[in-house]
Amino acid sequence: MSTGFRSNSTYIAQGEHAVGSEPDHVIATTLGSCVAVCLWDPDHKLGGMNHILLPDDGDWSSLNNFGGTAMDQLVNALLKAGAMKSTLRAKVFGGAAMIAGLSDIGARNAKFVLEYLTSEKIPCDAQSTGGTAARQVRFWPHDGKARQRFVSSYDEPVAPKTKANDVELF
């Protein structure tokens, strides 16, 4: 877990998670094809977020970057902090196709997370997955509020600024 980028804020990177309960605490991350799950216990006013790099995949699935391990670590951290599994609610973000045609890893990440939540009987109240844009996500674990901001879209080409005598290299 990383420390905050400003007071009472925590930024998490791939394979990390954070849990909090203070009213002004914010957990943040930036996602492309990765997925973040925000879990919240409304009865106990606490929540947490993780940052999943890849769905479970063979021998590497015990690493924090992988789906099942990342989800189990977040759920266990919340239970240790006083949450009840039966009252957890989820919001899911990410899973973009960052480079068209190269990989479906974003869709696989989102599918894994939604299947995990279903199997663990954790309701998913909201999701914003897919597309081609990176997302910045902020989560307030005390009240379960989450916000996202799209960063850019890689499907929208930007026309280069050229002069009459410029040379274009391929």
Side-chain angles (χ1 to χ4, degrees):
M1 182 178 356
S2 293
T3 57
F5 53 91
R6 63 179 115 126
S7 67
N8 217 17
S9 295
T10 305
Y11 184 85
I12 59 170
Q14 294 173 349
E16 296 182 329
H17 71 274
V19 172
S21 61
E22 299 82 24
D24 60 342
H25 185 207
V26 178
I27 303 170
T29 197
T30 303
L31 306 164
S33 60
C34 294
V35 172
V37 178
C38 302
L39 291 180
W40 178 56
D41 180 336
D43 293 346
H44 295 91
K45 301 289 187 195
L46 67 102
M49 180 167 58
N50 62 13
H51 186 138
I52 299 170
L53 175 65
L54 297 168
D56 281 340
D57 195 20
D59 295 334
W60 298 99
S61 62
S62 64
L63 297 175
N64 295 347
N65 290 345
F66 287 86
T69 302
M71 289 302 300
D72 290 346
Q73 287 181 343
L74 178 57
V75 169
N76 289 333
L78 286 165
L79 297 177
K80 184 176 180 181
M84 298 292 297
K85 188 174 180 192
S86 61
T87 59
L88 290 177
R89 317 285 305 176
K91 295 179 181 177
V92 179
F93 299 91
M98 298 305 295
I99 302 174
L102 288 186
S103 172
D104 67 345
I105 194 65
R108 288 178 42 217
N109 282 337
K111 180 179 183 230
F112 169 81
V113 165
L114 295 172
E115 288 174 354
Y116 179 97
L117 294 171
T118 298
S119 72
E120 294 296 318
K121 297 177 178 48
I122 299 172
C124 182
D125 294 337
Q127 71 179 63
S128 175
T129 59
T132 58
R135 295 163 170 86
Q136 292 178 333
V137 178
R138 297 177 70 192
F139 177 61
W140 288 261
H142 177 79
D143 63 10
K145 180 174 65 174
R147 288 189 182 158
Q148 76 173 351
R149 182 174 71 88
F150 289 100
V151 178
S152 64
S153 175
Y154 291 96
D155 278 347
E156 298 173 7
V158 177
K161 295 180 181 177
T162 60
K163 296 180 183 173
N165 61 353
D166 281 353
V167 176
E168 188 172 346
L169 301 176
F170 294 93

